[in-house]
Amino acid sequence: STVRPPSVRRSLQCARDTNLNAYAAIKEYFMGQGMTRQADQTVTIKDDADKGLVEWGLKKFTQEARTLAQFPPHPNIVRVSRLFEQHGTAYIVQEYVEGTDLQEKLAAGGASLAELKQIAFGICDGLREVHRQAIQHLDIKPSNIRLRRSGVPVLIDFGAARHEIDERAARDAPAPRRTANRERSDYDTGEDIV
């Protein structure tokens, strides 16, 4: 049996910016297995053994946000407007893309061939710009492609920090322990919260 690395949970909240009179999406860095939330919303590291991985992941998360914030405006890439640290963790404030995600659209009956071509061309155009900036998306899937009400696809949730954390955790994870004819791993995978 293989050890499954901890996954980084992401809470994506929609909020209204009263200064700009617009909605924004706020993404929180929260490594589910290595962090815990206190009653006052402060996030702390559960175990000193996870401290290095949690801090490294936080650094990757903030680097990703800073990189995305430098992108020139592009219709197929979510815009990041702010990064801030509070409650012992970090938050990315990004454009709220009104519409639906591709996964929801496909589940609700799908799309015509013409719509799928438009979506594919838009995603490829966005990826071309991402790669021009020497970034990889690393988490392309229907739930990470938002469709604006106009049908224009937008790449969201690049997942680079989460992907690198999962790889590093898998590399550094201890071997699974056997207990009473049952395998148990030192890590359990949390689910993403969207």
Side-chain angles (χ1 to χ4, degrees):
S1 173
T2 59
V3 174
R4 297 179 69 195
S7 67
V8 176
R9 294 182 185 206
R10 64 184 190 283
S11 297
L12 194 58
Q13 302 286 327
C14 180
R16 183 147 189 89
D17 183 328
T18 55
N19 292 324
L20 298 176
N21 194 27
Y23 285 103
I26 302 173
K27 181 179 171 183
E28 176 186 54
Y29 173 76
F30 187 83
M31 192 174 123
Q33 299 304 323
M35 300 170 86
T36 187
R37 189 176 312 279
Q38 306 300 318
D40 66 355
Q41 299 304 309
T42 299
V43 174
T44 59
I45 298 170
K46 285 182 187 177
D47 186 343
D48 282 342
D50 292 329
K51 185 176 181 178
L53 185 60
V54 170
E55 289 175 350
W56 182 80
L58 181 60
K59 180 180 174 185
K60 289 293 186 183
F61 182 85
T62 58
Q63 284 175 344
E64 179 182 334
R66 288 185 178 110
T67 301
L68 290 173
Q70 301 304 312
F71 274 27
H74 192 285
N76 305 110
I77 301 171
V78 70
R79 286 185 296 280
V80 171
S81 59
R82 188 166 178 224
L83 168 70
F84 65 95
E85 294 187 37
Q86 190 172 352
H87 301 297
T89 191
Y91 299 86
I92 297 172
V93 180
Q94 61 191 32
E95 163 191 21
Y96 173 73
V97 180
E98 287 193 56
T100 187
D101 66 42
L102 182 57
Q103 182 175 332
E104 292 168 348
K105 182 169 183 65
L106 295 173
S112 70
L113 183 57
E115 288 175 304
L116 290 174
K117 283 182 181 180
Q118 177 189 359
I119 292 167
F121 289 141
I123 294 306
C124 287
D125 194 43
L127 285 172
R128 185 175 19 258
E129 182 59 35
V130 168
H131 294 163
R132 210 177 277 143
Q133 302 293 326
I135 298 292
Q136 294 180 340
H137 189 287
L138 301 178
D139 201 17
I140 297 173
K141 58 187 176 186
S143 61
N144 284 342
I145 299 170
R146 290 287 293 175
L147 302 173
R148 296 184 193 276
R149 290 187 175 160
S150 64
V152 173
V154 180
L155 290 165
I156 64 168
D157 195 3
F158 280 56
R162 186 173 55 256
H163 179 77
E164 289 187 37
I165 289 166
D166 287 348
E167 280 189 350
R168 181 172 172 177
R171 220 180 24 250
D172 298 344
R177 290 182 272 182
R178 289 190 180 269
T179 55
N181 295 329
R182 192 178 120 214
E183 291 185 7
R184 179 188 164 280
S185 75
D186 290 331
Y187 293 106
D188 191 16
T189 304
E191 294 182 33
D192 288 340
I193 301 171
V194 177

